[in-house]
Amino acid sequence: MRIIGGKLSGRTITAPRGTATRPTQDRLREALFDIITHRDWDGIGDPLTGATVLDAFCGTGALAFEALSRGASHAVLFDQDRNALRTAKENAAKLGLAKVCQIVNVDARHPPKVTGACRLVFLDPPYGKNLIAPALSALDEAGWIAKDALIIAETAKKEILELPENFAPFFSRFYGDTGLHFVHRV
């Protein structure tokens, strides 16, 4: 795996061994960040430049690291898997991003309260477990999601994305067996 764009373009990152973590593939990350960068987000502004990013269910940290490479200023990464957390920390150090990353052993459905909200939020939980809606509700209640935030939720293609009432979809794109859902807080 590698960082696709920005100041760290071409740098490699690793994934934990085993099947517990399902990293977002390079081509899918490239498509995702092309959309984030080049779309007019209907009044929410630039969701990336200078943003604080939340990568819930972070796995390798690839989504957060890609965002930092492309202009985000800070990233918070959540996961519960020890191997994923260790790998994300190793990747952050290897990329020279440890000082701008906070990597935390947290269940995204039970986050701590926060004083500063994030403008860009990635939710890439294990497929088929209906974790996105409860995580969105909990993150919002704890103050992690800014009013003008862009949320990207990744699901299996056949999975139906359910959203809490204060969130609405912009649109969805499907790549092979993966769905990318672009959502905003209303």
Side-chain angles (χ1 to χ4, degrees), residues 70-151:
R70 294 171 183 250
S73 64
H74 185 78
V76 180
L77 295 81
F78 289 169
D79 211 306
Q80 288 184 281
D81 183 87
R82 286 186 202 155
N83 290 328
L85 290 165
R86 183 176 53 253
T87 300
K89 287 177 184 178
E90 289 169 358
N91 284 333
K94 180 178 173 181
L95 295 170
L97 298 174
K99 290 182 180 179
V100 294
C101 291
Q102 180 183 0
I103 302 171
V104 187
N105 183 355
V106 170
D107 180 342
R109 296 169 299 168
H110 305 286
K113 297 275 186 208
V114 71
T115 55
C118 299
R119 283 197 343 239
L120 183 59
V121 177
F122 297 106
L123 295 168
D124 184 9
Y127 290 169
K129 295 191 177 186
N130 297 317
L131 297 173
I132 292 173
L136 270 176
S137 292
L139 292 166
D140 191 35
E141 186 176 316
W144 285 95
I145 301 175
K147 184 179 180 199
D148 60 349
L150 174 63
I151 298 108

Side-chain angles (χ1 to χ4, degrees), residues 123 132-134 136-137 151 153 160-170 181-184:
L123 295 168
I132 292 173
L136 270 176
S137 292
I151 298 108
I160 295 172
L161 177 66
E162 295 181 19
L163 297 172
E165 67 180 51
N166 50 337
F167 292 89
F170 274 121
H181 308 277
F182 296 82
V183 175
H184 64 105

